[in-house]
Amino acid sequence: MARPRAFDERQVLERAREQFWATGYAGTRMDDIAAATGLGKGSLYGAFGDKGKLFQRVFGDWCTTVVEVAEERLAGGPDAEALARLSAYVHLMAENTAADTGRRGCLMAKGVAELAQHDPAVAGRSAETMTGLLALLRTEISAAQRHGDIDGAADPERLAALLLAVVRGIEAVGKAGLAPETVRTIADTALAALPRPEGRKSV
């Protein structure tokens, strides 16, 4: 019978995530992970595999969280509140970026930039995440159209893609050094640009 693990797996993964987040995939050694987690390299290999497998686990967990955060804000509900839900989500992403004074950015974006070209697992997981976010945004846009808050003649798929690009782009330009107020203005401008039926005010 296998002995139960004598460590908190979730805590180990969180510490490994912080290390990858701080130094990137290439800049992180298993020795660094061992020091950060307090586990020997043998225990790490036995529990999670090599560095690539450990990063994929951390990366996958992060991607799941990204979608869960969106689901909390874009989980559906009355059509009359759909535009407010969209606005709250976009503003939340802007505020998270504005609060990131250390400019660490999003682990998913960092992982994709570093590994997606050569790692099919990272590329596939990030694409799956983007598809999930796109679907959530599209659903809320369609709901807002049904209620008459967004022009019903507009293509919800294209509008969802636009908002997704804005949300993910906000993180990138914030990490590059744009002032928090500029980041907030980007969110406001994107929402105001959504096509509104005649006589309806912008968000």
Side-chain angles (χ1 to χ4, degrees), residues 52-101:
K53 290 179 180 177
L54 176 57
F55 180 80
Q56 287 171 13
R57 174 72 181 275
V58 168
F59 185 81
D61 287 349
W62 181 270
C63 289
T64 296
T65 299
V66 167
V67 175
E68 288 176 346
V69 168
E71 287 174 339
E72 289 175 1
R73 273 73 183 179
L74 307 173
D79 289 355
E81 299 171 4
L83 188 58
R85 292 191 294 270
L86 282 168
S87 178
Y89 175 66
V90 174
H91 283 124
L92 173 67
M93 296 298 101
E95 288 303 322
N96 285 349
T97 297
D100 183 18
T101 55

Side-chain angles (χ1 to χ4, degrees), residues 2-191:
R3 291 187 303 171
R5 292 176 181 173
F7 59 85
D8 184 328
E9 181 177 286
R10 178 51 50 189
Q11 185 179 71
V12 169
L13 288 169
E14 288 176 355
R15 291 178 179 176
R17 179 195 67 204
E18 292 299 311
Q19 187 65 51
F20 281 125
W21 204 355
T23 55
Y25 179 79
T28 299
R29 303 170 304 155
M30 286 300 279
D31 286 333
D32 301 322
I33 300 293
T37 61
L39 292 180
K41 288 195 292 184
S43 295
L44 287 169
Y45 284 120
F48 304 106
D50 60 17
K51 185 177 84 166
K53 290 179 180 177
L54 176 57
F55 180 80
Q56 287 171 13
R57 174 72 181 275
V58 168
F59 185 81
D61 287 349
W62 181 270
C63 289
T64 296
T65 299
V66 167
V67 175
E68 288 176 346
V69 168
E71 287 174 339
E72 289 175 1
R73 273 73 183 179
L74 307 173
D79 289 355
E81 299 171 4
L83 188 58
R85 292 191 294 270
L86 282 168
S87 178
Y89 175 66
V90 174
H91 283 124
L92 173 67
M93 296 298 101
E95 288 303 322
N96 285 349
T97 297
D100 183 18
T101 55
R103 297 183 187 176
R104 292 204 304 174
C106 173
L107 180 65
M108 181 174 66
K110 294 178 77 170
V112 167
E114 187 174 5
L115 295 172
Q117 183 178 0
H118 308 291
D119 189 328
V122 168
R125 190 67 178 84
S126 62
E128 178 184 334
T129 303
M130 291 297 105
T131 299
L133 294 176
L134 187 65
L136 289 167
L137 289 165
R138 183 177 61 244
T139 296
E140 294 291 10
I141 288 169
S142 295
Q145 288 178 306
R146 288 193 299 270
H147 190 254
D149 287 324
I150 294 178
D151 186 354
D155 185 338
E157 185 77 26
R158 292 187 177 187
L159 293 181
L162 174 62
L163 285 184
L164 180 59
V166 168
V167 166
R168 303 311 303 177
I170 281 174
E171 185 274 332
V173 297
K175 187 173 184 294
L178 280 188
E181 191 52 45
T182 302
V183 168
R184 296 184 181 103
T185 298
I186 292 170
D188 290 338
T189 302
L191 290 164

